[in-house]
Amino acid sequence: MKIILTHEVPNLGSAGDVVEVKPGYGRNYLLPQGLAIAWTKGGQKEVDAIQRARASRQIHDLDKARSVADQLKQTDAHIVARTGDGDRLFGSITAADIVKAVDEAGGPKIDRRRVELASTIKSVGTYDVTVKLHPEVTAKFKLQVTPAKRRKK
């Protein structure tokens, strides 16, 4: 089944790409979620126009992505979280929490879907966080997770 992606889908493609997927995946997930539309000849003309516009913007976007990556490398993100015994967190740190911490630290605005974690953050410590800003630009920065002060009983 040929479809046109309207949003970026991990391990499949970005908006405007024409991809071939299994019929069930397209019909039951991509189309109902609004991540893609069915391929048609008219749709193909729209895709060509989108790709021409994207190619002209891409050079500008690459420069902007590099500047955002430089800003992220200089950002010291810090999260204070509630902990239990052995410095284990109640719950875990999510991509949305990381984006909020970067924003509070004075860093650039980033999309939570671009944040890539090697594993879930469930304990106190320093972690390396990767942000995929552009297909050619990936930024890494350190995230410090510290325990919140406990109330004495």
Side-chain angles (χ1 to χ4, degrees):
M1 170 180 208
K2 258 186 169 178
I3 58 167
I4 302 168
L5 297 176
T6 56
H7 292 83
E8 184 173 337
V9 179
N11 300 325
L12 192 57
S14 59
D17 290 348
V18 177
V19 294
E20 185 77 28
V21 296
K22 293 196 175 191
Y25 182 53
R27 195 173 40 247
N28 297 327
Y29 178 70
L30 295 173
L31 295 175
Q33 294 290 328
L35 299 174
I37 56 173
W39 180 87
T40 61
K41 288 182 182 178
Q44 182 63 42
K45 289 178 184 175
E46 287 182 36
V47 168
D48 293 339
I50 290 169
Q51 288 178 342
R52 279 194 301 273
R54 188 180 354 161
S56 66
R57 281 193 321 260
Q58 192 167 14
I59 295 169
H60 173 69
D61 291 345
L62 181 61
D63 293 336
K64 184 172 180 177
R66 286 187 177 140
S67 69
V68 169
D70 291 338
Q71 288 176 327
L72 274 175
K73 288 177 186 172
Q74 297 170 0
T75 302
D76 293 326
H78 186 83
I79 295 177
V80 177
R82 291 183 44 206
T83 59
D85 296 332
D87 287 337
R88 301 239 339 133
L89 301 180
F90 290 123
S92 63
I93 303 296
T94 63
D97 296 331
I98 294 170
V99 169
K100 184 178 175 188
V102 168
D103 191 38
E104 289 173 355
K109 301 264 187 223
I110 53 176
D111 184 11
R112 67 175 172 76
R113 293 174 293 229
R114 303 271 185 198
V115 175
E116 297 176 353
L117 298 171
S119 63
T120 57
I121 299 175
K122 292 189 173 197
S123 60
V124 172
T126 303
Y127 296 89
D128 289 324
V129 178
T130 304
V131 180
K132 187 167 178 137
L133 299 166
H134 187 271
E136 299 175 20
V137 180
T138 304
K140 289 187 178 185
F141 66 95
K142 298 270 187 208
L143 174 69
Q144 181 73 30
V145 179
T146 57
K149 295 191 187 225
R150 295 183 186 175
R151 286 192 260 161
K152 294 185 180 182
K153 295 181 180 180

